[in-house]
Amino acid sequence: MVKYIERGDIFDIDGVNSYAHGCNCAGAMGKGIALQFRSKFPAMYTEYREMCLAGKYNPGDVFDYNYGKGHVYNLGTQQTWRTKAKLEYIERSVVGMLELASGDNVSKIALPAIGAGLGGLLWKDVKAVLDRVSAAYPNVDLYVVEAYERNDSM
């Protein structure tokens, strides 16, 4: 099931310790939420970059990084930072993520509006893919934050 959250921070959702985000396959995490992932999980970034440079991470792929307290699913949604995301890449990578999560008993994953920001796709189209694909995985809840908003009340 997909639970849409209008505004918030994927890293501040109670009870969620696994995350996903859209990535390019060129080894760059220099803008948007990818930069937050790079800062929070530097070892993941190093491994991701090496995979990209070796040609082992392609559109539609999932790089599952287990950071000890949960997983980070890096979804190959676009070829480079200069190209746009494609719905078929999103679908393939989300299905792969849900398969991996099911196998690892991950029941909650938080993610941003993948493909719709720097990826350049229409959010309504991406939402339709997420809704359709996630229906086949009722054991995994996706918490999708549609717009980033920092919680400064802490």
Side-chain angles (χ1 to χ4, degrees):
M1 175 200 276
V2 184
K3 299 175 183 184
Y4 294 100
I5 301 165
E6 191 175 325
R7 299 190 158 286
D9 183 338
I10 68 168
F11 299 111
D12 288 339
I13 300 172
D14 286 339
V16 178
N17 59 4
S18 289
Y19 310 97
H21 68 120
C23 299
N24 64 65
C25 298
M29 288 188 184
K31 289 186 178 180
I33 195 163
L35 188 55
Q36 290 181 45
F37 275 95
R38 179 180 173 170
S39 297
K40 287 181 182 295
F41 306 100
M44 176 205 72
Y45 171 73
T46 300
E47 195 172 334
Y48 151 82
R49 183 160 171 75
E50 289 171 359
M51 289 172 60
C52 291
L53 295 175
K56 295 180 179 177
Y57 183 69
N58 299 294
D61 287 353
V62 181
F63 165 40
D64 176 6
Y65 181 77
N66 184 335
Y67 69 95
K69 296 180 182 179
H71 293 256
V72 176
Y73 299 100
N74 297 272
L75 310 175
T77 58
Q78 57 197 93
Q79 183 65 51
T80 74
W81 64 93
R82 293 182 181 109
T83 60
K84 300 297 182 194
K86 293 187 178 182
L87 289 173
E88 58 264 30
Y89 299 162
I90 289 175
E91 181 168 348
R92 204 162 58 231
S93 62
V94 170
V95 167
M97 171 187 73
L98 292 168
E99 286 286 327
L100 290 166
S102 294
D104 288 331
N105 296 314
V106 173
S107 61
K108 297 176 183 178
I109 303 169
L111 63 155
I114 58 171
L118 296 173
L121 295 173
L122 294 175
W123 178 230
K124 69 176 183 64
D125 296 339
V126 177
K127 276 177 93 167
V129 169
L130 293 175
D131 289 337
R132 181 173 40 79
V133 168
S134 67
Y137 298 88
N139 56 324
V140 182
D141 291 330
L142 300 180
Y143 294 80
V144 181
V145 175
E146 296 180 294
Y148 174 75
E149 184 173 274
R150 187 173 176 180
N151 182 358
D152 287 327
S153 64
M154 295 189 176

